[in-house]
Amino acid sequence: MDLVSQSTLNEHLPQSGIPSGSQDKVTVLDSGPEMAEPQVAAAPVITSNLSVKAPEFYPPGYVQNFSQNFADSSFEDRYDGYLTLAEYVQDFLNHLTDQPACFETEIEQFAETLNAWVASGEDLQGLVELIYQQATSVPNFSYMGARLCNYLSHHLTISPQSGNFRQLLLQRCRTEYENRNAATRGDETTQKEFHAFVLFLAELYLNLEIKGTKGQVMRAEILQEGLRELLNALFSNPVDSNLICAVKLLKLTGSVLEDAWKEKGKSDMEEIIQRIENVVLDANCSRDVKHMLLKLVELRSSNWGRVHGTSAHTEATPENDPNYFMNEPTFYTSEGVPFTAADPDYQEKYQELLEREDFFPEYEENGTFLPGPGDPYFDDIDDEMDPEIEEAYEKFCLESEHTRK
């Protein structure tokens, strides 16, 4: 093997990116009977500085600062880096949107921070506005926003002349409520914002707790009346978007509203259902929306899907419990016709089913299958061991005996 010439080496070095000054460090292998083993240089380990919390891993528009602050610092330091109350509150709302499970563990400290920071009616008004905007503009935050409002209404200590937290919140909702008739006939954006407000108000009705004069916990009466008027406004302009919002509202609060109205001897829910049936017959809504309305009527006819248990002192029978046969199994006749214990001729059909020769294989009383002669699996069982397995088994037995001795 010929040696690599120095001129050839010089021509190759610039192309390889090796500095010319390091030529004396380049070893040219000598030819000979024994070649030195080539040494493979270890690839340098590249350490990335990219964090798993880098912006590249978050969707556009997402703010992750608050989550990082809560994960990386103690509570005392969590709001030191914020210049304004609005910035701190908004980051907490974003954090709660991303991790709703943190509500139980962090809401108490959040309220303590607000009590130390909110010092005026303007601050409290700004807090209400931020929560309202988050609850009506961020999908699926209306429920969490209502829970947050309920907690703050009981734990914020500031109560300026303009009103406490709950009073300012209801005033903010009234602003949208009074514009209901125009909003249901507005453009697409206006209707979308109004529908978000309706669903947030429904969540407030279900979650906002108010103490009565006797200390009992009750729902806000004013919200119940407001939801009734909002339903009237939605049905007054029965376009698809308004009707879909009404369906969502009734699915969410229908059972609670009807119970409250019945306690007062009102038949408001009957009137609403009648109005829905008229819409299905007369309105020019889409076929899918009509189907949604009919399903809603069906849901209400089943007591909003609620199943009431029978009295503890009364034995359940098919006569006094409409759900008596709910958990009964379904059987099939030889023709494939289904039947249950609720069918009048159940006993006759079930006896016929038992008399089928091949319906039940051989089972014990506890349901264990008993194979026997004639069973393919039973007949295929071979009692003889494979020679290799038998030899290994004997060896194992001898070793075990030796170990015991």
Side-chain angles (χ1 to χ4, degrees), residues 85-105:
L85 172 66
E87 181 183 353
Y88 172 73
V89 172
Q90 187 60 60
D91 276 358
F92 178 79
L93 295 177
N94 292 335
H95 170 65
L96 206 58
T97 302
D98 181 54
Q99 301 181 39
C102 295
F103 180 88
E104 300 293 344
T105 58

Side-chain angles (χ1 to χ4, degrees), residues 312-327:
H313 305 287
T314 305
E315 183 179 356
T317 65
E319 289 74 24
N320 64 18
D321 186 2
N323 302 309
Y324 184 81
F325 296 110
M326 177 174 291
N327 297 321

Side-chain angles (χ1 to χ4, degrees), residues 144-162:
M144 186 59 63
R147 289 187 64 194
L148 178 62
C149 289
N150 179 60
Y151 188 92
L152 295 180
S153 68
H154 293 285
H155 293 84
L156 286 186
T157 56
I158 183 173
S159 182
Q161 294 182 352
S162 57

